[in-house]
Amino acid sequence: MSQQAPLRFVFYIAARPDKVWEGFVSPESNRILFMGSELEVELRPGGPMNWIGTGADGKRTTYVRGEVIQVKPHKLLQYTFATFSSTKFSRVTIELVPETEATKVTVTHDQWAEDNTDYSPCSDGWPRILSRLKTLIETGKTFKPH
């Protein structure tokens, strides 16, 4: 089966890699970025990486689920990714590289099946998430999603 093109985003955040790393993996920042959703993660290969919240019916809902593939704290996080409505997994790779006064953040979201319906929402969602994360890390607050 053919694949959709990888999504790739590069951002620069005015903070050290350890602070940017915490932005990606801490429950507190994820709660802020994802409107109260909880990140349940075990930062080890094979560990779960799930965003859980309350659904419209008031019940516990897994919005995004995945499994950690690789972890190099403050440098690299790679995991599988599927939304609650999808049976198809893709892969997310987050790379952090220190710059003089910033961290270069590269997010590559790839291994998309041709018929994976998460592609379009993720192509729009990643720039929004990364912009909100950048604002949160640099200012201590962020803006609401659309």
Side-chain angles (χ1 to χ4, degrees), residues 3-58:
Q3 294 186 349
Q4 298 181 72
L7 300 172
R8 186 168 184 269
F9 307 96
V10 177
F11 273 66
Y12 292 84
I13 299 177
R16 297 180 324 270
D18 60 319
K19 189 170 180 182
V20 176
W21 176 264
E22 284 303 310
F24 278 103
V25 303
S26 78
E28 295 80 18
S29 65
N30 278 273
R31 213 174 290 118
I32 293 166
L33 292 171
F34 300 106
M35 306 301 289
S37 292
E38 297 291 328
L39 172 63
E40 294 181 355
V41 62
E42 290 179 25
L43 291 173
R44 60 170 178 74
M49 185 131 190
N50 303 313
W51 283 265
I52 312 290
T54 304
D57 60 0

Side-chain angles (χ1 to χ4, degrees), residues 59-114:
K59 295 182 181 176
R60 181 178 160 95
T61 300
T62 301
Y63 292 110
V64 174
R65 66 192 185 289
E67 183 175 292
V68 175
I69 300 169
Q70 288 187 72
V71 178
K72 294 179 186 173
H74 311 164
K75 294 180 183 177
L76 175 79
L77 177 60
Q78 187 176 66
Y79 56 94
T80 60
F81 176 99
T83 61
F84 67 95
S85 60
S86 181
T87 59
K88 303 191 181 301
F89 283 87
S90 53
R91 180 180 67 180
V92 173
T93 304
I94 300 167
E95 298 171 279
L96 307 179
V97 177
E99 298 266 330
T100 305
E101 293 185 14
T103 299
K104 179 182 180 183
V105 178
T106 304
V107 174
T108 305
H109 197 156
D110 62 2
Q111 296 187 352
W112 292 99
E114 186 176 349

